[in-house]
Amino acid sequence: MKNNLKVLRAMRDWSQAELAGHLDVSRQAINAIETGKYDPSLPLAFKIARLFEQNIEEIFDDEFAGG
Amino acid sequence: MPYNPIVPTEEDRSFAHFLKYIGFLASFFFLTSYFFPVSAGTEKILMAMTSSILLTSIFSSRFDEHYYNLRNEGCKWAMAAIIVPLLISALLSVGSLSDKLGLMLATTNNSEINGITLIIDAVLMAKMACFAFYAGVIFKSLRP
């Protein structure tokens, strides 16, 4: 699943480790989400959305949403 | 909010990902020690390292959901490392049983039927399962 987490993180000038600290996950988890290797769970996706004050759909791009 | 020393930090969670590489190396050398014997002391150190890191990897709750996802993959690989040799042995035993039944029918020599002895080296299987766990974790974490 594509996402713009890297862009949002860059806008706040956070490192992966800093974002990981805010979300209670590891730096590797942030890296895996940003590179699309790992899709976060729903609770983590909500946590990310709340942190960046956006809707989940604005952060994560569901490829199948159109069809 | 008061400081709680039990709550895992980002460093604690990242440590799990560092641990997987140590565990992979330890389990690799532990497995190869079956084929290329090392001293008893080295073997015990490798055994202690592999088993303690594996126990921490499997039962610790101080990691994050990404690691648990990788751990699931590792568990699948470890189970496959146990099941595949069992399946192969089972299939071979069917062939062996057929041979012995055929021999019995041809010769009527019942003493030839003495049961199928499947000897699966448990130590090798355990070493393979340990290595397969980390191979699965590393494979999933590196796969694009």
Side-chain angles (χ1 to χ4, degrees), chain A residues 17 20-21 24-29 32 37-38 40-41 44, chain B residues 10 13-14 17-18 20 64-66 69 140-144:
Chain A
D24 295 329
V25 294
S26 63
R27 183 192 60 75
Q28 289 85 352
K37 286 182 183 173
Y38 172 64
S41 67
L44 181 56
Chain B
E10 193 278 317
R13 295 189 179 92
S14 292
H17 294 273
F18 170 70
K20 73 189 175 199
D64 64 351
E65 62 174 55
H66 177 229
N69 187 258
K140 178 130 187 176
S141 66
L142 296 180
R143 192 175 57 181

Side-chain angles (χ1 to χ4, degrees), chain B residues 39-95:
Chain B
S39 68
T42 309
E43 173 98 20
K44 282 175 187 167
I45 289 170
L46 287 171
M47 189 187 292
M49 274 183 73
T50 304
S51 53
S52 58
I53 294 171
L54 195 56
L55 274 175
T56 308
S57 299
I58 291 174
F59 292 109
S60 178
S61 56
R62 294 175 65 82
F63 305 142
D64 64 351
E65 62 174 55
H66 177 229
Y67 188 78
Y68 298 148
N69 187 258
L70 298 176
R71 189 172 68 181
N72 287 345
E73 186 75 9
C75 287
K76 276 195 273 182
W77 282 48
M79 284 306 296
I82 294 169
I83 292 165
V84 169
L86 284 176
L87 183 65
I88 291 170
S89 299
L91 291 173
L92 290 175
S93 75
V94 170

Side-chain angles (χ1 to χ4, degrees), chain A:
Chain A
M1 190 179 285
K2 291 176 183 173
N3 63 78
N4 58 0
L5 193 60
K6 192 172 184 177
V7 176
L8 293 169
R9 181 172 63 80
M11 284 166 65
R12 301 211 176 188
D13 203 20
W14 282 342
S15 65
Q16 287 184 339
E18 284 173 316
L19 178 57
H22 285 291
L23 296 171
D24 295 329
V25 294
S26 63
R27 183 192 60 75
Q28 289 85 352
I30 298 299
N31 184 54
I33 294 169
E34 285 185 356
T35 53
K37 286 182 183 173
Y38 172 64
D39 291 333
S41 67
L42 200 52
L44 181 56
F46 271 111
K47 211 169 181 177
I48 293 169
R50 272 197 295 272
L51 181 67
F52 290 109
E53 297 170 330
Q54 295 198 9
N55 294 323
I56 287 179
E57 296 91 336
E58 292 173 293
I59 301 173
F60 296 96
D61 177 25
D62 180 7
E63 303 160 38
F64 304 106

